Amino acid sequence: MSNTLRSRLTPYLFLLPALLFMATFTLYPLASVGYLSFTEYNILRPPQPVGLANYQRLIGDGVFWLSLRNSFTYLLVTPVIIVSAIALAIVVNRPLLGIGVFRALYYIPVITGAVAVGIAWQFLFDGSGGPINGMLLSTGMIEKPIIFLTEPGWTLPIAMMMTTWMGVGYYMVVFLAGLQSIPEDLYDAARIDGCNEFQKHWHVSVPGLRPSIVFVAVISSLSALKVFDEIYVLTNGTGGILNSGSTMVFYLWKQAFRLQNVGYASAIAMVLLVITLTFSIINVRMLERGEG
């Protein structure tokens, strides 16, 4: 083998393990799901080709459209997380005694399992003696307990609040790193120009955090589209009354593993892939502009 050929092949040999890993755990499953989306498959019998029947079924499936709407509604979590995490990062970005402890406390929800958090939130919103109902009753805001987790209008908002609470600590760390990279001279100049605390952060911190904001928008929006744990735990795997809390990923799981409609679930997965891929492309373009 000539030296020229060897030098050309060497980079690919280093890439080979990663390419094999990607082919085994990404490309092959993706191709399999794509194939199964054109079949009727319930695990017990071999897949039977049905053409576009699964995709035609999606068009008339009300629960699918409800799940799609809920997934897009879940994107409202993103701006709430961004604003909350920036505010929290500004608060803890101060040289105060014991500030490291507060940073760690704010980060605890991130490393706490979704199941444990879900059980805690079930207790908080329990209709027969939960703290939320107790507080509302004691202040006279309600006359009788609200069964939050069985009310169709409350399931999704509670899950969104839980997602925000669990994720804000992680994004706080991202913004904290961004704040600490902003030169202190810029803040000094803002003070000399007469800016108060709010104006200082509005005119210096927020522009300086632009790349971080775009990054968080990318990550949190994709996470919101793929939410599952919160819905599963809060509704005990039912998706809520009248599927009020069902999202795309939850409905996919329900069709595949509870109803064993694997072919139909694969069609849902392919639609979700197209949506998340579109969002990824848009967000990457935004990220590139943010870094430019």
Side-chain angles (χ1 to χ4, degrees), residues 5-292:
L5 182 61
R6 183 182 296 108
S7 63
R8 290 180 178 179
L9 290 178
T10 299
Y12 295 100
L13 290 175
F14 281 107
L15 288 173
L16 185 60
L19 293 175
L20 290 175
F21 185 88
M22 182 178 295
T24 303
F25 296 101
T26 301
L27 299 180
Y28 173 73
L30 180 60
S32 297
V33 171
Y35 165 72
L36 291 175
S37 70
F38 296 101
T39 67
E40 181 180 346
Y41 180 39
N42 64 1
I43 299 178
L44 300 178
R45 295 179 301 172
Q48 301 294 323
V50 294
L52 296 173
N54 288 325
Y55 293 95
Q56 293 172 344
R57 178 181 170 186
L58 285 175
I59 297 174
D61 188 347
V63 180
F64 166 76
W65 290 107
L66 174 62
S67 301
L68 181 62
R69 187 187 71 183
N70 287 344
S71 291
F72 280 109
T73 301
Y74 224 95
L75 288 172
L76 294 174
V77 165
T78 295
V80 175
I81 282 181
I82 290 174
V83 174
S84 302
I86 290 176
L88 198 57
I90 290 173
V91 169
V92 300
N93 187 34
R94 300 181 180 184
L96 301 176
L97 182 63
I99 196 66
V101 176
F102 285 98
R103 292 174 183 172
L105 290 175
Y106 290 133
Y107 194 77
I108 285 177
V110 180
I111 59 176
T112 304
V115 174
V117 174
I119 293 173
W121 278 65
Q122 281 184 327
F123 169 72
L124 285 174
F125 289 94
D126 184 70
S128 59
I132 302 297
N133 268 307
M135 181 183 67
L136 295 175
L137 287 169
S138 64
T139 56
M141 297 180 67
I142 59 175
E143 296 181 356
K144 60 179 181 180
I146 301 174
I147 314 299
F148 288 102
L149 297 177
T150 58
E151 290 284 345
W154 282 104
T155 305
L156 198 66
I158 290 174
M160 292 168 68
M161 286 189 289
M162 177 178 162
T163 297
T164 303
W165 185 79
M166 290 179 61
V168 71
Y170 170 76
Y171 299 115
M172 174 202 72
V173 174
V174 175
F175 289 128
L176 183 60
L179 285 173
Q180 293 180 350
S181 67
I182 298 175
E184 189 65 29
D185 295 346
L186 297 178
Y187 292 109
D188 294 336
R191 294 189 191 97
I192 293 172
D193 289 339
C195 291
N196 55 34
E197 284 297 310
F198 175 80
Q199 293 172 331
K200 179 183 71 173
H201 291 297
W202 180 256
H203 293 293
V204 178
S205 299
V206 173
L209 289 174
R210 183 182 174 187
S212 300
I213 291 173
V214 177
F215 170 77
V216 169
V218 172
I219 301 302
S220 61
S221 61
L222 292 178
S223 298
L225 285 173
K226 298 185 292 182
V227 70
F228 172 79
D229 294 351
E230 293 88 331
I231 302 297
Y232 181 86
V233 176
L234 288 175
T235 65
N236 293 316
T238 65
I241 302 298
L242 302 176
N243 295 295
S244 57
S246 179
T247 58
M248 286 280 285
V249 175
F250 181 86
Y251 191 49
L252 188 162
W253 167 84
K254 184 176 181 180
Q255 288 292 334
F257 297 102
R258 179 159 290 179
L259 302 178
Q260 295 187 355
N261 295 326
V262 179
Y264 188 54
S266 298
I268 299 173
M270 294 307 294
V271 173
L272 181 61
L273 173 65
V274 171
I275 293 173
T276 53
L277 186 61
T278 302
F279 265 83
S280 298
I281 293 172
I282 294 172
N283 285 327
V284 166
R285 293 289 181 268
M286 292 174 59
L287 184 60
E288 290 175 348
R289 292 179 182 177
E291 292 176 345

